[in-house]
Amino acid sequence: MSDILFIMSIKQKSVTYLEISANKAGQRIDNFLYTHLKGVPKSHIYRILRTGEVRINKGRIKPSYRLNANDVLRLPPIKCQTIIPKVPNANRLTELANATLYEDDLILIINKPSGIAVHGGTGINGGVIEGLRVLYPKAPSLELVHRLDRETSGCLMIAKKHSMLRRLHNLLRCGEIHKQYLALVQGHWKPRRTQVNAPLRKNVLKSGERIVRVSPDGKSAITQFSIERQFATTTLLKVKLLTGRTHQIRVHAAHVGNPIAGDNKYGNDSFNQQMRHDYNLKHLFLHASKLDIDLPEIKYHLSIEAPLPPSLQQVVNNLDVKI
């Protein structure tokens, strides 16, 4: 059978059965459904998974279940209006077209601009993946390998083939894709503080906003920090993630008393206002600066660096002047 035989319509009136091809093997069922049930809210997808309306080989599965080749997927009747994903405006498309750091037949790596979400959603006029699908009409299998917060800039991986997506997801699960970030934080970072190990718990407010807090009953979260530059009242840090929790760097930095400059969710309002007034910092100073990929089984090795965007580089230049 083809990779997927189901096309979302306004109403699916009967149960549908799909056979999963080898190209889809390894993908999480929730991500598969979110991609292919265009217009169906995530809340509805998780509900039909939780209630057992979605089944694999006649059995109930969890959202974390990973598809296998030849799995038979049962989809219940769907009553949900199809929503055509919004596309970023012309200026954003131009920005994305000029953001390429590396490209081959398997992967695209861009220097994601700050201020654009990786994918569209409620109240968002299109994201990175929607824009790239417009820019790459001959690459129908484009998929995000991972995510960056909307205000975070830097290296973002997009797989061009499902086989590469599976390989990269396996590396991410094993912590074998090495990612480095640059973050400007408030105050002087203690040189001996090379690691923050504090469990994180994610809460979703009624508005849908996600808030992450350090909590004893949270998930394990470990972040490594090292000083890149010390300024009069701020510190530029190199950061490496040993786990990949939502907002991990931002919450860990704030937890130890050194919030990231420009962080409107976890940061210090008066510090952010000062940085905006004195240094024209208009958004979060967190940048995914480098990543290393090693896939020896296919002799594939990459080391990619993303330069700071001009707006953040100018902040650093101005901080240099005032030392």
Side-chain angles (χ1 to χ4, degrees), residues 179-287:
K179 295 184 286 184
Q180 178 179 286
Y181 295 77
L182 287 173
L184 183 73
V185 300
Q186 180 180 5
H188 285 181
W189 187 269
K190 296 178 180 178
R192 293 185 179 180
R193 183 187 288 129
T194 58
Q195 183 171 290
V196 175
N197 185 346
L200 299 178
R201 181 175 179 177
K202 181 169 63 176
N203 300 295
V204 180
L205 305 180
K206 290 182 179 179
S207 63
E209 181 183 6
R210 294 178 300 170
I211 296 290
V212 179
R213 303 294 186 198
V214 171
S215 174
D217 60 351
K219 293 183 178 180
S220 172
I222 305 173
T223 312
Q224 292 181 336
F225 296 90
S226 62
I227 296 174
E228 174 72 6
R229 298 284 305 280
Q230 184 70 71
F231 302 106
T233 60
T234 57
T235 308
L236 184 64
L237 298 171
K238 286 183 179 179
V239 188
K240 292 184 179 180
L241 293 172
L242 299 189
T243 54
R245 309 302 178 199
T246 301
H247 299 168
Q248 180 174 320
I249 298 173
R250 299 164 65 182
V251 178
H252 275 177
H255 176 64
V256 298
N258 300 96
I260 296 177
D263 191 341
N264 293 322
K265 187 183 290 282
Y266 304 105
N268 181 291
D269 289 341
S270 60
F271 171 65
N272 290 341
Q273 290 173 10
Q274 180 186 352
M275 292 299 298
R276 185 181 184 94
H277 180 269
D278 294 348
Y279 301 100
N280 200 32
L281 177 61
K282 297 178 180 179
H283 56 83
L284 181 72
F285 198 125
L286 181 60
H287 178 72

